Amino acid sequence: MPNACQRCGACCALYKVTLQCSETSDQPGGTVPLELTVHCGVHSRVMKGTERFRKKRCIALSGNIGDNVTCLLYGQRPVACRDFLAGWEIANGDNPLCDRARAIYGMVPFRSF
Ligand code: SF4
Ligand code: SF4
């Protein structure tokens, strides 16, 4: 199946993306560029742009939502992003958060919720 995320991007412009401080580039083994994150509590940070109350959009998301998007950090993205399963790639289940994000941006959910 083609990667439907490349024509979506809704979750990257709806949810707060939190990461451990240990995931940023200033830490040994950290991959996420520190400058693309902001503080969120003592032990965590947030992807810039997703800390907003309204109009969240991750700073690493390039392109037009629902059309053609790219994660500019794909190989270095936070654990939360790696763990977020897309509805189209789940064989025996679904991800209501994926479907919800798509629905909010006017895209067909992979399953009804
Ligand atoms: S909302 Fe679902 S389909 Fe869209 S980019 Fe996120 S994981 Fe992929
Ligand atoms: S780092 Fe990439 S996958 Fe994660 S929210 Fe930002 S654009 Fe989306």
Side-chain angles (χ1 to χ4, degrees):
M1 188 182 218
N3 185 338
C5 294
Q6 293 172 345
R7 297 183 61 82
C8 180
C11 58
C12 307
L14 186 69
Y15 300 121
K16 185 175 182 179
V17 180
T18 305
L19 54 147
Q20 298 292 315
C21 288
S22 57
E23 293 184 64
T24 52
S25 55
D26 58 323
Q27 301 297 317
T31 60
V32 183
L34 180 66
E35 65 275 16
L36 300 187
T37 68
V38 291
H39 263 302
C40 176
V42 181
H43 298 297
S44 57
R45 301 185 69 88
V46 177
M47 287 304 298
K48 251 184 203 172
T50 74
E51 79 282 16
R52 299 182 201 139
F53 184 63
R54 289 194 177 138
K55 296 191 176 176
K56 289 181 172 56
R57 178 172 170 135
C58 177
I59 192 171
L61 183 68
S62 163
N64 297 317
I65 294 165
D67 180 19
N68 194 346
V69 294
T70 306
C71 171
L72 300 175
L73 274 187
Y74 193 74
Q76 303 160 263
R77 68 196 190 286
V79 169
C81 303
R82 295 172 191 271
D83 287 349
F84 193 93
L85 292 176
W88 59 270
E89 62 180 350
I90 303 173
N92 299 308
D94 63 355
N95 180 352
L97 294 176
C98 166
D99 280 348
R100 175 172 175 265
R102 288 176 61 84
I104 285 172
Y105 278 96
M107 287 176 272
V108 178
F110 294 105
R111 281 198 184 184
S112 55
F113 59 95

